[in-house]
Every structure is written in C-alpha cells, then in structure tokens.
Amino acid sequence: MQIKETPKEYDAVIVGSGAGGGMSAKVLSDAGLKVAVIEAGPFFDPKDPETMTQMKWPYESPRRGGWTKERNFGELDMAYGGWNLDGEPYTQKDDSNFMWFRSRMLGGRTNHWGRISLRFGPKDFKGHTQDGLGDDWPIGYEDVKPYYDKLDKMIGVFGSNEGLPNDPDGFFLPPPKPRLHELYYIKAAKKLGVTVIPSRLSILTKRINAERGVCFYCNQCNRSCSAYADFSSGSCLIFPAQKSNGQVDLYNNCMVREVVMNKEGKARGVSYINKEDGRSYEIRGKVVILAASACSTARILLNSKDGGSAGLGNSSGLVGKYLHDSTGSGRGGFIPALMDRKMYNEDGVGGMHVYSPWWLDNSKLDFGRGYHIEVWGGMGMPNYGFGMGMDGFNKFMGISEGGYGDKLRDDVKRYYGATIGFGGRGECIAREDNYCELDPDVVDQWGIPVLRFKYSFSDHELNQAKHMQQTFEQLIDAMGGHVFGDTPTKEQNYGLNKGGEIIHEVGTTRMGNDPATSVCNKYQQLHDVDNVYITDAGPFVSQADKNCTWTIMALSMRASEHIVEQLNKRNI
Amino acid sequence: MKRRETIKTLLAGSLAGGAVVSSQSCKTEGGVEGVIEEAFSVGVGRTPEERERDRKLLAEDFLTDDELGTLAILCDIILPATPTAGSATEAEVPDFINFMSKDAPFLKVPIRGGLAWVNNEALKRFDDSFEAITEKQRIEIVDDIAYPDKVTPEFNQGMKFFDRLRGLVLTGYYTSKIGIEDLGYVGNRPNVWDGVPAEVLKDHDVDYDPEWIAKCINQEKRNELVQWDDEGNVLNN
Ligand SMILES: Cc1cc2nc3c(=O)[nH]c(=O)nc-3n(C[C@H](O)[C@H](O)[C@H](O)COP(=O)(O)OP(=O)(O)OC[C@H]3O[C@@H](n4cnc5c(N)ncnc54)[C@H](O)[C@@H]3O)c2cc1C
Ligand code: SF4
C-alpha cells in the first residue's frame, strides 16, 4: 500500500548506514546539510547495555556462544544477520554457489568486522598497466592518499610505517606488541623470507579525541566496543554526524525498494517499506546516495524502473557485473612447542597483532595477483566448540586418542593455546561474467525482486590458493608444527573459499571515464543521472590484495566532498 | 532431576555470572518462566526475537528424567571432580547438553540413541540399567567405547556416541564458570596488554626484536592525545 502524504525533503537521502553511508552522513553533516539515513535494520549503539555482548561470559547464555541462525559467527557476535535472512532470499544461476553475508542494523557489517584496515597501494589502482589483467582505475593512489590520511586521523588505525612500495605508510597509532604465537610466526616467516610487520587495525591504542575511549584489550572487537575504541560506523560516524553542523535523521527498519525519478530525468528520492507497518513511503532529496553495500545497491538500481527497463544508471548494462570478493583459503596447525602454556592474560586487541603483506613478484608466478596472510592463535576465551576434535592432537603426539577423566583434563590444559591458523586473503581478478542480476522469478517478503548470483573462478585464483596452502604448510613446518588435515586437492579448489565467503564484495557499479564501460565516474556519480552517487564498494574497479573497507571510507569521503561542492555550486 | 529444577539450576549458574541480572532476579514474579525472562533479557544482549526463542527452548521438554540420570553419570565419568575443581554435573553440563539438543535438533537422535545404546549394553552385560549397575561395571562398558584407536567393530556406534558426548562435555564444562577457572583463563576483563611476560619469553627461547618493539605502543602514554609530524611519525609515544 502506498501512503499518500507529502514526502519529507532533504538535501541528501543516504541509503545504508555501514562504512560507506556512515562516512557520507558525516561529511554532509559537517558541511551543515540536512540528510536522511535510511537503514533496513534496527538502531544499534555499542554501548547500550540492553544489546551489548562485550565482556559477557559464555555461561551467561544457555548455548555458550554457539551458532544461531541470526548470528552465524556465534550468538555473542555483533551482527544481526548472516548468510541467510528470513524473508530475504537470494538465488544462484546454474551451478554457482555465491555466499552473501548481510547485517541488518545501524552500522551494517562494521559492528563486527575484523577492523583490518589496509590502504591500497599505487599498483593496486593500475592493475592492467602492471600485468595486462583486468582494468585500471580512473584514479590513482595520489588521488586517494589525502583521503586515507584524513581517514587515519579521523577514525584511527594502528600500524607502522615500513616504507613498503605497495603497502603505503600512513598516520598510524602505535601497534600492540606481538603475542607469543605471533613471535613464533615472526620467526618462521623471517626464516622463509615472508615479510612480516605489525598489523593495521582500526582500533585505538592511543587516544585520538575526547569522545572515544582507548582500547582495554578484551579481544572482542567482533562484539563491538562499548568504549567506542574500535571503528563501527554508528559510534564513529553516525553519532558524531548527528552532533555536527547539519541535521541527520535516522530512518531505521526501513527497506529501500527503488530510486524514484522526476520528469526531468533526475532522481527525486527513494521509496521504501517501513518494516514496522509494512507500508510504502517516499522520501525526497536533492541527491540520492546509495551505500547499501555493493550487491544491495546494484539490486536497488536494477529495481529502479523509473530509470528504464534495464534499471537506473544501467545504460552500459554493467550494473551487477564485475562482482568480485577477496580470495580466501585457510589452514591451521598444532605447535608442540606451545603446549603446556603458562597462563596469563593475552587477550590483546580483537584481531591479530602481526601480519604478512604480499611479498612476492607475480611475474615469476603462475597467478596474476597477490595475497596477504592473517594470523590467529593464542589462549582465547573458551566458547561453544571448545574441546571438540581435540583427539587430533593426541594423534600428532602419538598418545592414545579419546579417554576420559583426569587424562582428559590434562589433555585440555596441555593443548590449550597450542594451535595457530592462517587466512590468506588475495585479489580475485574482476571479470564481467561474474555478476549479480535480478532473479526473473523470485521476490522477497516485501515483493521486491531478489538477486541471483553467477560466480566462478579462473586459474589465477585457483593457483593462488594452491600457493597459499604451500606457504601455510611451510610456515607451520618452520614452527615445528603439524598441519591439520590433508593438503586440499585440485578437485577441492585447493581449499579456495566460495565466492562471497570472505565478505568483501566489490565492483558491481564500477567507476570509469567511459560511460560505455563503467557505471559511475571517478567521483562515484552515475554517468546516467548526475544526482545519484554510490559510496559503498560498488565503484571499485579491482579488489587488491587488501581488505576493502578502509578504501570504501576514503573513497566515500572523497565522493561526499564532491557532492557538497556540487550542491554548493548548484550543479545538481 | 526434575525438568523445572533443571531449568532452575541452569539459571542459578547463569545468574551467578551475570551481575546485572542477579540484582533483579529476586524481584522476579511468575516462577521459572519469569526467571528465564529476566535472565536472558539483559544478561547477554538478546534481541526480542532471540530472547523469545531462548525462553521457548528452555521451557521445552526433551530428555526424560531417566535419560538425564544416565547422562549425568556419563558426564561425571568424563569429567569427575578433582580436589580443586567441580565435576561436570556441578558445572551443569547435562542441562547444557539437553538445551543444545533442543537448539540443534540434529543432536536429538544421536544423544537419545546413544544413551539408549549405553543402557542396552548395560542390560545385555549386567542385566540392569546403566544407572543401576556398579561403578566398576560402568567403567567396563565405557572402556570399550572411549578409545577410538582401539575400538573393536561391535562397539563402533558406542564409540561414535561417546566421542560426540566427550566433545559436548568438554565444551559445556570449559565454558562454565567452574571450567574456566579450572582452565585458568584469566582474560575477559579490562587489561593493558604490554607484551609476553619475560619469563615466558625465556622459556620459549623467543625475544622481542628491539627495532620492532620501538614501534609499539608505550602504554604509559596511551591516554595522551596522539600527535603526529607531517610524515606520520607519532611524536608522543
Ligand atoms: C565477519 C566480517 C569480518 C570482516 N572483516 C573485515 C576486515 O577486517 N577488513 C575489512 O576491510 N573489511 C572487513 N569486512 C567487510 C566489511 O564489513 C565491509 O566491507 C563493510 O562493512 C562494507 O560497508 P558498506 O557500507 O558497503 O556495507 P555494510 O556495512 O554492509 O552496510 C550496508 C547497510 O545498508 C543496509 N541496507 C542494505 N540494503 C538496504 C536497503 N534496500 N534499504 C535500506 N538499507 C539497506 C544494511 O542493512 C546495512 O546496514 C568484514 C565483514 C565481516 C562480515
Ligand atoms: S579489544 Fe579493545 S577496541 Fe576491541 S572491543 Fe576490546 S577494548 Fe574495544
């Protein structure tokens, strides 16, 4: 049912409150503008005791932190969402099996993300020039550097200036010291010639302003920090935006269906369904900013039939195309030297303290692009799953498996903290034939056509995964450890994660100078409609061997400043 | 143990840990259901839908009193009390397993069937239920199913059950207050991480590289507002 009431009118309507939308709200409000943020999920504030899970014990819940269908990484994780949402399906084309992770809450997926915050390097914007694969971006590192610099200072990220050519320096807070298993890792990596440096996470090891606290090392950033010492879009962008010069109205539990147009071919605003009363409403703005995450934004454009039967901004036919996610492959091992640990509090920050940026030259390898290595391990808080599968350790030690009683207690304590794990996160080469599109047959519970995915890998990704696995085995070996499981085979895609599983989807509305081969320009403004911008990861031309969020925010800041300028000049 | 009591003991465990909750629980009206409501409304940050589901699951019946009896004995064989730490039942592990079977229904048949398998075995060998036979007789059965690398084919199904149960008991125990204390995990509290203790470094024959450590946070100055020079060097670390 469409409600006929005069829609409110704003300077800008922002769809989505995650990394991209939060930054747009902040920049626009700082400029004194009046904005509406439309968010499909409920309000969320990390410091609200009602919803807070930080510092809780597993025994405070009957399932001890286990998996639920609303919280796929454990019930204490701060994501209202997961791989599947009730009433909001997505489908697959042919034999694809793309995984799509969505969080429905203020701040989106930034409430529980890993906080790994890596700048793209100069090579990452000019991939095609380097090796003939994929395409170059219409902008280079020098265009984005000033925004990365501002972002570092505004949000805070720890790390270290290493002078590496493609992993640029920045304005870092001092990193925390490595933990014990990380010292083992450093030693092994150095032995193998694998670069290893302090990690780069958007966590405040030192004060950056009066509003946000300093990390108190609880290791639970995935639960979202009540002291606002880690980056979440709500606590670090939306709330400050509300206190800034402009006006920021939040519309929570409102699901945007499409962008609506006026007779002049400009966007007039968006129409949305209020999930609380199930009715449709319209809201108006001089400019519409889509930041619903790469795939959701593509979906909104494709559903916006005011813009033509192919959807809005889709004269190139490329909306939804060039979808790609980081590659990923993981492996773990058991390190006998780490048995019988002395107990002390080594929680540290909610993530790794060290990592390995890409260290090799691809021209000498059988895959096009690199990957970085994330490291985990240590004496973490027991959670659902603790002690399951412990038998394997006894096998490595040549001790009889299984058993019960005091032997079992001894085993648990002996092996606690003696495992290490790696995640390789690499670049997948963007291809037009990896995409999301509207499913011609299926709608969600609000009658909105849903996305259908088509995704496959090339040898570049498969060979890269194979290389990751070899590296992981060598690293574990260098630590005197035992690798878990068998080496994944070719039939198992060398352990390569499914598309989407690394949760870095980008590229669905890519930027470019030529309207025939791109959806938006270098300011993330639709080629077809000048008052619609996209500030999530849709405009990425390529992924790089870096996690995408720091770049989403730097680019969102850049695009949002452009919007302010264009509004001031009355160009849009 | 009666079901309602089971719920109560489970909640007693939960309440002991959740300071926010225990201050309210004395005011609770409406018996067990009311206690459940209170326990999970604030305690672990549930959304209304999550709270409602947990409430329903807790109130639902699954294992019978007989089954819970067998389960309790097995749990305490797997983790008996020690001079310093309570047993699996003291840590309310049977209630946890009962809850998990309702929450993850694929566990229902293996758990119920496994408990029945153990009772069938007791009946076959000693002509009585597992609960009724002697401690020594119970161990005789358990020894046949507790060691995966030594098991003979006729005990394979029993071994599979015991394996699964062992995993659940370990999780249930080491995520309880008693178990976390026994393990010696000392985190989940505000802390200032300033590196691995010196004696541990020595034990492990690893050390901090001075060049690396020079980049790390000086925890004395963590509360000072950061200042950088134009190159991004921190001026006050
Ligand atoms: C477990 C996990 C770990 C991660 N770790 C890292 C990491 O370490 N480093 C890194 O760089 N990245 C990481 N990521 C990825 C990171 O979270 C995303 O890149 C980032 O949040 C994307 O920001 P966004 O604004 O594009 O989208 P989101 O954060 O997803 O926000 C989009 C928002 O839009 C809303 N929305 C969607 N559709 C509509 C609609 N139709 N109407 C209204 N609102 C809508 C959603 O509810 C959501 O709140 C991780 C993700 C996960 C899940
Ligand atoms: S590790 Fe630090 S930043 Fe992360 S949630 Fe804990 S206190 Fe906050």
Side-chain angles (χ1 to χ4, degrees), chain A residues 85-91 100 102 299 442-445 450-451:
Chain A
L85 302 179
D86 279 345
E88 299 187 55
Y90 57 93
T91 63
W100 190 21
R102 291 166 287 176
R299 180 182 176 207
V442 183
V443 296
D444 68 10
Q445 64 179 320
V450 307
L451 286 180

Side-chain angles (χ1 to χ4, degrees), chain B residues 56-78:
Chain B
K56 273 203 187 124
L57 284 171
L58 283 163
E60 199 181 290
D61 282 315
F62 177 52
L63 292 178
T64 63
D65 289 350
D66 280 353
E67 287 168 326
L68 281 169
T70 308
L71 180 62
I73 296 169
L74 285 166
C75 287
D76 278 356
I77 289 175
I78 293 173

Side-chain angles (χ1 to χ4, degrees), chain A residues 63 178 184 206 386 404 409, chain B residues 54 80 143 171 204 208 236:
Chain A
R63 76 174 65 62
Y184 274 76
K206 199 171 170 73
F386 184 93
Y404 55 88
R409 278 187 201 267
Chain B
D54 285 355
D143 277 342
T171 275
H204 285 266
Y208 283 119
N236 58 340

Side-chain angles (χ1 to χ4, degrees), chain B residues 31-53:
Chain B
V32 174
E33 307 294 304
V35 176
I36 293 167
E37 194 68 47
E38 293 272 323
F40 298 109
S41 61
V42 178
V44 278
R46 297 302 75 187
T47 62
E49 300 76 38
E50 288 172 324
R51 196 185 317 148
E52 178 56 21
R53 187 194 30 218

Side-chain angles (χ1 to χ4, degrees), chain A residues 56 62-64 70-71 75 162 172 175 177-178 184 206-207 216-217 220 347 386 403-405 409 413, chain B residues 43 46 50 53-54 78 80 103 143 146 166 171-173 182 188 193 204 208 215 217 221 228 236:
Chain A
K56 303 295 181 194
R63 76 174 65 62
R64 311 294 171 89
E70 296 89 357
R71 306 205 205 200
E75 62 174 337
E162 301 286 340
F172 293 115
K177 291 177 186 167
Y184 274 76
K206 199 171 170 73
R207 195 169 291 282
F216 53 84
Y217 303 96
Q220 294 165 27
D347 278 352
F386 184 93
Y404 55 88
R409 278 187 201 267
K413 291 177 193 169
Chain B
R46 297 302 75 187
E50 288 172 324
R53 187 194 30 218
D54 285 355
I78 293 173
D103 188 49
D143 277 342
R166 179 173 34 233
T171 275
Y173 187 81
D182 180 48
N188 195 30
W193 167 256
H204 285 266
Y208 283 119
K215 300 171 192 164
I217 179 76
K221 298 195 182 167
W228 291 280
N236 58 340

Side-chain angles (χ1 to χ4, degrees), chain A residues 49-64 66-71 75-76 78 80 152-153 159-162 169-180 183-184 186-187 190 196-199 205-210 214-218 220 223 337-339 341-349 353-355 379-391 399-409 412-413 416, chain B residues 10 13-14 17-18 20 39-47 49-51 53-54 57-58 77-82 85-87 91-92 96 99-100 103 107 139 142-143 146-150 162-163 166-168 170-177 180 182-197 199-201 203-209 212-213 215-219 221-234 236-237:
Chain A
E50 274 286 332
T51 46
M52 185 174 142
T53 57
Q54 191 190 18
M55 310 299 286
K56 303 295 181 194
W57 292 98
Y59 49 79
E60 291 178 68
S61 160
R63 76 174 65 62
R64 311 294 171 89
W67 179 96
T68 66
K69 78 177 171 33
E70 296 89 357
R71 306 205 205 200
E75 62 174 337
L76 300 177
M78 199 42 76
Y80 301 161
D152 287 0
K153 292 178 184 170
S160 57
N161 288 334
E162 301 286 340
D169 293 344
F171 288 80
F172 293 115
L173 303 169
K177 291 177 186 167
R179 308 176 180 94
L180 185 61
L183 290 173
Y184 274 76
I186 293 172
K187 213 168 159 179
K190 287 193 170 158
V196 50
I197 60 172
S199 60
T205 52
K206 199 171 170 73
R207 195 169 291 282
I208 62 157
N209 60 34
V214 173
C215 174
F216 53 84
Y217 303 96
C218 77
Q220 294 165 27
R223 301 187 188 181
L338 287 171
M339 288 194 308
R341 300 275 313 259
K342 194 165 270 171
M343 305 302 272
Y344 54 91
N345 183 344
E346 70 165 3
D347 278 352
V349 303
H353 293 186
V354 313
Y355 90 114
M379 302 186 285
M381 177 155 50
N383 227 311
Y384 186 87
F386 184 93
M388 294 181 185
M390 199 181 55
D391 264 2
I399 301 171
S400 89
E401 295 171 50
Y404 55 88
D406 292 345
K407 168 192 183 287
L408 205 57
R409 278 187 201 267
V412 166
K413 291 177 193 169
Y416 178 56
Chain B
L10 172 72
S14 316
V20 195
F40 298 109
S41 61
V42 178
V44 278
R46 297 302 75 187
T47 62
E49 300 76 38
E50 288 172 324
R51 196 185 317 148
R53 187 194 30 218
D54 285 355
L57 284 171
L58 283 163
I77 289 175
I78 293 173
L79 287 179
T82 72
S87 69
E92 286 143 9
F96 160 71
F99 178 86
M100 283 317 297
D103 188 49
L107 284 172
I139 294 298
V142 167
D143 277 342
Y147 301 97
D149 46 358
K150 292 189 196 121
F162 198 80
D163 236 22
R166 179 173 34 233
L168 284 166
L170 285 173
T171 275
Y173 187 81
Y174 283 104
T175 56
S176 75
K177 195 159 194 280
I180 286 171
D182 180 48
L183 183 67
Y185 169 74
V186 285
N188 195 30
R189 65 204 68 192
N191 179 40
V192 178
W193 167 256
D194 203 18
V196 180
E199 72 272 14
V200 176
L201 289 175
D203 283 353
H204 285 266
D205 198 26
V206 283
D207 212 346
Y208 283 119
D209 171 5
W212 187 301
I213 228 64
K215 300 171 192 164
C216 292
I217 179 76
N218 171 1
Q219 295 292 15
K221 298 195 182 167
R222 69 183 183 282
N223 280 313
E224 284 180 17
L225 205 64
V226 63
Q227 291 164 1
W228 291 280
D229 67 12
D230 291 343
E231 266 77 61
N233 299 303
V234 178
N236 58 340
N237 183 38

Side-chain angles (χ1 to χ4, degrees), chain A residues 145-166:
Chain A
K145 181 183 185 299
Y147 296 94
Y148 280 134
D149 288 352
K150 278 201 249 182
L151 183 63
D152 287 0
K153 292 178 184 170
M154 174 200 244
I155 300 294
V157 47
F158 72 69
S160 57
N161 288 334
E162 301 286 340
L164 297 170
N166 203 42

